[in-house]
Amino acid sequence: MGKLYSQYGSKSLKAVEHFVLIIIAIATIVAIGQEVVHIIGNARVDLADLLLLFIFLEVLAMVASYAESGKLPIRMPIYIAIVALARYLILDIKAMDDWRIITIALSTLVLSITVIVIRWGQLKLPYPRTDDH
């Protein structure tokens, strides 16, 4: 059974992985197109539009990075989360109560500190090199 998996299962999973990456990339490109059409239809660009385009750009960069290296840098989804929280705050700040604003701001701060800690750990405490890396 182990030999069968190593012969077909691993390759099948890789094929599904690449197929899903292509779907994510295509869906992101479609979403970018929809946002551009929205901007053109409104005849103006708001900060929320720019932040949404930035989120889409980060998703594409994350897909490209994952496709090239086979590894997902953990900082990229955190960056996307930070921008998404900032966009949410910008769009809905007038309708939010003080506690929600504070919670979102603290969440953003925690994510930012997380990025700093991860980056520090990568620089100061790197994984030992192996032959397959």
Side-chain angles (χ1 to χ4, degrees):
M1 185 70 176
K3 185 177 180 180
L4 186 65
Y5 170 77
S6 63
Q7 187 174 5
Y8 297 109
S10 179
K11 290 179 183 178
S12 297
L13 288 176
K14 275 290 187 195
V16 169
E17 179 181 318
H18 288 287
F19 178 71
V20 172
L21 281 174
I22 290 169
I23 290 172
I24 293 169
I26 290 170
T28 305
I29 291 167
V30 168
I32 290 169
Q34 290 171 338
E35 185 61 21
V36 169
V37 167
H38 171 75
I39 290 169
I40 292 169
N42 285 346
R44 68 183 252 195
V45 180
D46 294 323
L47 181 58
D49 298 324
L50 294 175
L51 290 172
L52 188 56
L53 287 172
F54 184 72
I55 290 171
F56 293 148
L57 181 65
E58 284 294 316
V59 170
L60 280 179
M62 188 170 56
V63 167
S65 175
Y66 188 71
E68 289 174 10
S69 70
K71 298 175 185 172
L72 181 63
I74 190 63
R75 288 181 296 153
M76 292 184 94
I78 296 174
Y79 294 146
I80 293 170
I82 290 169
V83 174
L85 284 171
R87 184 177 185 276
Y88 176 58
L89 194 60
I90 289 167
L91 287 177
D92 296 336
I93 196 162
K94 292 179 183 176
M96 290 183 193
D97 60 11
D98 294 343
W99 284 109
R100 184 173 296 254
I101 294 170
I102 290 169
T103 303
I104 293 169
L106 286 175
S107 299
T108 305
L109 180 64
V110 167
L111 288 170
S112 301
I113 291 169
T114 301
V115 169
I116 292 169
V117 169
I118 290 170
R119 186 67 184 132
W120 179 85
Q122 288 173 333
L123 293 173
K124 301 293 183 184
L125 307 167
Y127 285 114
R129 291 263 178 205
T130 60
D131 293 336
D132 62 333
H133 287 85

